[in-house]
Amino acid sequence: MNKLLVADSVSKDYGDFRALNQVSIAVPKGSIFGLLGPNGAGKTTLIRIINQITMPDEGKVILDGQPLQQEHIKDIGYLPEERGLYKSMKVGEQALYLAQLKGMSKSEAKKQLKLWFDKFEIGDWWNKKIQELSKGQAQKIQFIVTVLHKPKLLIFDEPFSGFDPINANLIKDEILKLREEGSTVIFSTHRMESVEELCDHIALIHKSNKVLDGNLIDIKRQYKSNTFEVGLKSSNSQTVINEIKNKFVVLPATFKNVYDDVKLNVKITPEISPNDLLSFLTSKAEVHHFVEVIPSANDIFIKTVKNN
Amino acid sequence: MNHLPLIIKREYLNKVKNKSFIIMTFLSPLIMIALISVVAYLLQLNTNKKRTISILDESGLFSEVFINTENITYNYSNNTALSSAKAVVKEKEQYGLLYIGKGDLETVSETIQFYSEESPSLTIISSLENKIERKLRDLKLVANGLDSEQIKASRANVNISQETFDGQKSSKIDNILKLAFGGISGYLLFMFIIIYGNMIMRSVIEEKTSRIIEIIISSVKPIQLMMGKIIGTSLAGVTQFAIWIILLGILSTIVSMIFGVDLMSAQGQQQELVQQAMDNSSVQNEINLVVQSFQNLPLANLIVAFLLFFIGGYLLYSSLYAAIGAAVDNETDTQQFMLPILMPLILAVYVGVFTVIEDPHGTVSTVFSFIPFTSPVVMLMRIPFGVPLWQQLVSLLLLIGTFTSTVWFAAKIYRVGILMYGKKASYKELFKWLKY
């Protein structure tokens, strides 16, 4: 069993509006799974179904081999996008309460909380009220509360919003550490650079349908267009350019290179191997830059959403 | 995983530890006592005012009738003309002048007039009328050949004792006591629903606006959270009520000890009248009657019914309050939904106050004691008068049925509403939510 969570043809209707249409995803154990999509695509609905906040109208969800049920609440940690805490309650009391709701015993929760508070160096917040903390500080507490009970599955919805770069980094490192310790992470965000950085797998939901999913590298392979950035040093650049143009499809290039006598994006057909292109280039001039153009997550996101 | 006790505990502690809750708990009895004391003081000030009333009795029939009391001095001014008597009264700034013209027993009553600077108090006028009427009646009886001993002997004091066919005895005092019992319990429920229903509503709104709701809801079922909230808040309410009652008891004792003001003597004037009416019956007798009446009340039935109807009625309404809280984003939006809740409640109190007193087993009060939205208040007011068990049971079953469905209905709205932000829900929208 290498899938921690499988959603199988899940649909959800709100009145006449179909929020999710036959969406299936499979989240491998130990992966960081990016759940992407434009605003209002249905990500939050899917996440709420996984959290048993709402029930699907059709389809089923399997967690660790079992159909989703009440007992699984303690196996999931959820940091919602719309998040907050009781403003007039003290930090410590509140964290203890939320941990107990997740099924932890009071003493265990206290012990774990102390560890986390020490790690984040916020031990002196215990008796403060939430309303005395800044937004970023409160988010830290929310993060701790989400991961405290060491759930198998962590779901973060825009985890970095509201954090300054330093704290965002801190949280990112903690997410990676949790994955190393065996947690599986579902990660929903609009920030594509963090998808690039963190996610192994992604699924893209658009207008209530899943339009793309899989291993991020596989997807990139699928989306790449066999285009290479080529930077050459040559004394008679125009001749070389013309020779390349005669043989390959050439596109304008924008990359930066120290030698830009010849600066091109060269697209080759699948039958031609990059080696052929490279040996052709070396025969004509001195090669200083030869990089395959790999679409970024951002490119893939925009392209897929536009095409649908 | 049953988190209900945990949620109840949090809700309870959160309410009880809240600063404004604590302040309200301890301040309200103080304010209430202060208010009552002020009112009592003012009333006493009013009744203690010394007044002088001049009497010009040209008929000579009423020479011994007006006897000075603590507050009113009667001043017979004989052998003066009406105009000069008026002038004297005006000059001495007396309260007024009672003029009784010449006439015999039959005609004198038409000559009587009261002159004063301002329109006189109703109680004073009626007390004067009483005195004159009684004297005239006595005089007429004497004229018809009775002597004063016979007249005294003819006075009677009747207190009709009532008994139902199955032997339950009651009296007028019984009825007053029953009214008090029913009224207090009905009103208590009404107050409780309004105060703590609102508190529940606010606490739901708070969870929505602070955005903690989604975190909580991923751990517990919405209905658990809602019930925990209702029960926790109610327990806080019971605590507050208990403290209020204890404090009120202590404070009123202290106040009456310090100021020597018997708060009850606020109705001093009425007491005077009552005492006049009870010429013959002794006070001891009355006290015995009250004690007896108290024992006559169906106490066991009262207590059990109070608990059941109180809990049922409270759950019914508080679940609706919770649903309203879930349907809106802030307190100002609650108005449109409050009216349908308040209407039946207010109706219940009015029905209770006006029809139950008139006729506890009449059609109106009986019907309203079955309708679940009014039954808790109306039935609680009726029960002291003895309601057949089957009626109580049917009403209770209806109530349980209804509150089960309102809790279900509220939970549905709650479940959807708590996750809806920035939307002002309409009734149409709420209806749609029921189907999600």
Side-chain angles (χ1 to χ4, degrees):
Chain A
M1 193 71 219
N2 60 347
K3 303 284 186 212
L4 182 72
L5 179 93
V6 176
D8 187 14
S9 327
V10 171
S11 297
K12 176 76 192 173
D13 292 305
Y14 289 117
D16 297 332
F17 176 68
R18 175 147 274 219
L20 278 181
N21 184 25
Q22 302 283 320
V23 171
S24 302
I25 58 165
V27 182
K29 246 180 207 163
S31 68
I32 296 185
F33 188 95
L35 189 61
L36 316 178
N39 294 325
K43 290 171 299 192
T44 304
T45 305
L46 181 59
I47 290 175
R48 282 180 181 167
I49 287 173
I50 296 169
N51 275 299
Q52 303 179 62
I53 292 173
T54 39
M55 298 298 137
D57 294 331
E58 287 166 39
K60 56 179 188 286
V61 182
I62 311 266
L63 183 77
D64 216 2
Q66 290 170 317
L68 206 56
Q69 52 198 284
Q70 199 72 43
E71 281 71 49
H72 286 137
I73 280 173
K74 64 176 191 320
D75 296 328
I76 300 179
Y78 174 37
L79 186 69
E81 185 182 7
E82 292 277 9
R83 53 186 176 249
L85 294 164
Y86 290 115
K87 288 200 176 59
S88 55
M89 219 174 157
K90 283 180 183 156
V91 172
E93 272 172 37
Q94 181 147 217
L96 275 180
Y97 172 64
L98 293 171
Q100 281 174 281
L101 286 185
K102 283 286 184 192
M104 289 179 92
S105 73
K106 198 169 181 178
S107 54
E108 176 65 13
K110 223 174 210 163
K111 212 171 90 190
Q112 290 296 326
L113 276 172
K114 204 177 157 355
L115 289 179
W116 278 99
F117 273 48
D118 287 347
K119 187 190 269 185
F120 283 0
E121 294 168 352
I122 54 171
D124 53 330
W125 292 2
W126 188 271
N127 278 321
K128 277 192 183 176
K129 285 185 177 174
I130 292 294
Q131 58 200 8
E132 297 168 40
L133 301 182
S134 76
K135 192 181 171 201
Q137 289 172 326
Q139 300 254 43
K140 265 190 190 169
I141 307 291
Q142 284 155 3
F143 179 81
I144 293 174
V145 168
T146 309
V147 302
L148 191 73
H149 58 293
K150 296 184 178 146
K152 290 181 201 164
L153 178 64
L154 282 163
I155 302 175
F156 296 112
D157 200 346
E158 294 292 355
F160 303 123
S161 71
F163 280 118
D164 60 52
I166 295 170
N167 279 315
N169 233 7
L170 185 78
I171 296 298
K172 194 185 79 193
D173 291 346
E174 287 303 330
I175 292 176
L176 288 171
K177 222 180 277 173
L178 284 162
R179 193 255 295 265
E180 270 165 39
E181 287 164 12
S183 292
T184 305
V185 178
I186 292 180
F187 181 46
S188 169
T189 185
H190 290 126
R191 305 220 310 207
M192 289 304 147
E193 70 275 14
S194 45
V195 173
E196 205 86 57
E197 212 171 350
L198 292 170
C199 296
D200 317 310
H201 288 73
I202 61 163
L204 183 59
I205 296 179
H206 181 45
K207 289 186 179 157
S208 317
N209 290 285
K210 184 187 74 182
V211 288
L212 179 72
D213 77 333
N215 187 303
L216 187 58
I217 293 174
D218 291 343
I219 290 173
K220 286 193 170 186
R221 275 194 196 130
Q222 193 187 317
Y223 270 74
K224 76 186 172 71
S225 53
N226 287 330
T227 306
F228 293 83
E229 293 174 349
V230 172
L232 308 174
K233 186 181 172 196
S234 168
S235 46
N236 54 345
S237 51
Q238 202 50 50
T239 328
V240 176
I241 290 173
N242 286 338
E243 278 182 58
I244 297 172
K245 274 187 176 165
N246 286 337
K247 216 160 168 196
F248 304 100
V249 180
V250 172
L251 304 162
T254 52
F255 63 87
K256 286 202 171 76
N257 189 34
V258 281
Y259 297 108
D260 51 3
D261 303 330
V262 177
K263 195 168 89 168
L264 298 167
N265 273 6
V266 180
K267 192 173 170 155
I268 55 174
T269 47
E271 310 88 66
I272 303 168
S273 105
N275 280 1
D276 297 338
L277 173 61
L278 188 58
S279 52
F280 174 81
L281 292 175
T282 44
S283 69
K284 303 294 172 196
E286 204 170 287
V287 178
H288 279 262
H289 183 94
F290 185 78
V291 178
E292 180 162 18
V293 177
I294 305 290
S296 67
N298 199 32
D299 297 334
I300 295 171
F301 181 92
I302 291 171
K303 198 172 165 190
T304 320
V305 168
K306 274 192 177 156
N307 285 349
N308 280 277
Chain B
M1 271 178 287
N2 185 15
H3 295 307
L4 198 56
L6 204 60
I7 299 169
I8 293 174
K9 192 175 141 204
R10 194 207 82 86
E11 291 294 333
Y12 179 79
L13 288 178
N14 189 43
K15 295 282 169 324
V16 173
K17 285 203 250 164
N18 183 295
K19 272 202 196 86
S20 61
F21 184 90
I22 295 173
I23 293 172
M24 278 307 289
T25 307
F26 290 97
L27 215 57
S28 303
L30 277 177
I31 294 174
M32 230 167 111
I33 288 287
L35 270 177
I36 294 175
S37 306
V38 168
V39 170
Y41 175 72
L42 288 178
L43 267 172
Q44 238 169 15
L45 209 65
N46 209 22
T47 46
N48 284 349
K49 212 161 126 187
K50 298 269 182 281
R51 290 172 171 141
T52 308
I53 294 176
S54 287
I55 293 159
L56 180 56
D57 178 13
E58 294 183 345
S59 70
L61 293 170
F62 302 94
S63 51
E64 303 272 297
V65 173
F66 303 101
I67 300 154
N68 292 350
T69 66
E70 208 178 316
N71 298 325
I72 303 180
T73 314
Y74 295 105
N75 184 10
Y76 282 93
S77 51
N78 294 327
N79 303 327
T80 30
L82 176 57
S83 54
S84 61
K86 271 204 260 185
V88 170
V89 167
K90 200 171 178 185
E91 188 191 332
K92 290 188 176 168
E93 290 183 350
Q94 291 179 348
Y95 189 72
L97 171 71
L98 179 70
Y99 170 74
I100 303 167
K102 285 197 181 73
D104 57 20
L105 288 181
E106 295 306 321
T107 56
V108 73
S109 60
E110 281 154 32
T111 65
I112 302 171
Q113 216 150 4
F114 191 83
Y115 300 96
S116 63
E117 184 75 43
E118 296 149 5
S119 34
S121 121
L122 212 63
T123 46
I124 287 182
I125 291 294
S126 61
S127 128
L128 290 176
E129 282 172 349
N130 259 331
K131 289 186 167 81
I132 295 169
E133 273 168 18
R134 211 185 310 175
K135 181 68 184 175
L136 265 178
R137 197 180 55 221
D138 286 0
L139 286 173
K140 283 183 183 176
L141 288 173
V142 170
N144 281 323
L146 291 172
D147 65 28
S148 56
E149 280 307 312
Q150 281 172 311
I151 294 168
K152 230 176 207 168
S154 76
R155 282 194 194 140
N157 188 16
V158 178
N159 189 359
I160 298 178
S161 59
Q162 303 149 32
E163 188 172 332
T164 59
F165 291 127
D166 44 4
Q168 225 177 44
K169 286 188 179 167
S170 59
S171 67
K172 210 162 63 193
I173 296 166
D174 272 358
N175 280 345
I176 293 170
L177 209 63
K178 284 171 181 174
L179 270 180
F181 244 87
I184 289 172
S185 34
Y187 197 68
L188 214 60
L189 174 60
F190 174 74
M191 291 299 291
F192 204 86
I193 287 174
I194 290 195
I195 298 178
Y196 300 105
N198 257 303
M199 205 177 264
I200 289 169
M201 189 179 75
R202 260 180 280 128
S203 133
V204 174
I205 295 174
E206 187 214 332
E207 276 177 358
K208 269 187 89 174
T209 47
S210 71
R211 298 286 194 261
I212 193 176
I213 191 70
E214 200 159 346
I215 295 176
I216 303 270
I217 280 308
S218 65
S219 307
V220 301
K221 281 185 178 289
I223 186 150
Q224 256 184 30
L225 181 61
M226 191 178 92
M227 290 314 289
K229 222 170 233 321
I230 291 175
I231 297 171
T233 309
S234 321
L235 290 179
V238 170
T239 311
Q240 193 172 42
F241 257 64
I243 294 176
W244 276 346
I245 289 168
I246 293 168
L247 277 183
L248 271 177
I250 295 172
L251 280 175
S252 55
T253 322
I254 292 175
V255 166
S256 54
M257 264 160 49
I258 293 177
F259 297 103
V261 178
D262 183 4
L263 291 180
M264 293 306 149
S265 77
Q267 312 105 335
Q269 207 143 25
Q270 276 98 312
Q271 265 181 357
E272 203 179 305
L273 291 174
V274 170
Q275 237 139 33
Q276 276 174 4
M278 310 197 304
D279 273 350
N280 295 339
S281 67
S282 71
V283 177
Q284 187 57 40
N285 198 11
E286 292 285 315
I287 291 171
N288 281 344
L289 270 174
V290 172
V291 173
Q292 208 186 342
S293 307
F294 194 76
Q295 287 161 343
N296 280 349
L297 284 175
L299 272 184
N301 184 353
L302 259 178
I303 291 168
V304 172
F306 178 77
L307 286 177
L308 291 178
F309 278 98
F310 198 93
I311 293 171
Y314 177 69
L315 277 180
L316 177 73
Y317 277 100
S318 53
S319 60
L320 290 179
Y321 270 103
I324 292 179
V328 299
D329 259 351
N330 53 59
E331 248 185 290
T332 42
D333 289 346
T334 58
Q335 295 302 331
Q336 56 166 335
F337 299 114
M338 292 297 281
L339 201 65
I341 288 197
L342 285 177
M343 286 298 282
L345 257 185
I346 292 171
L347 186 70
V349 171
Y350 275 118
V351 167
V353 169
F354 289 118
T355 66
V356 174
I357 291 177
E358 191 62 34
D359 183 3
H361 305 299
T363 321
V364 177
S365 28
T366 310
V367 167
F368 277 98
S369 65
F370 281 110
I371 298 173
F373 285 89
T374 53
S375 68
V377 173
V378 179
M379 194 53 113
L380 279 182
M381 291 187 172
R382 273 188 72 200
I383 282 178
F385 295 96
V387 175
L389 196 61
W390 72 265
Q391 283 195 11
Q392 295 186 32
L393 286 178
V394 170
S395 169
L396 198 61
L397 280 178
L398 280 174
L399 182 64
I400 291 171
T402 314
F403 95 62
T404 316
S405 50
T406 49
V407 167
W408 174 87
F409 162 87
K412 279 243 169 191
I413 293 198
Y414 187 82
R415 202 175 52 115
V416 181
I418 44 180
L419 295 172
M420 295 274 178
Y421 304 120
K423 236 189 199 176
K424 204 174 156 189
S426 61
Y427 281 107
K428 206 173 129 200
E429 201 123 5
L430 292 190
F431 186 69
K432 251 167 57 189
W433 291 1
L434 289 180
K435 294 186 286 188
Y436 282 1

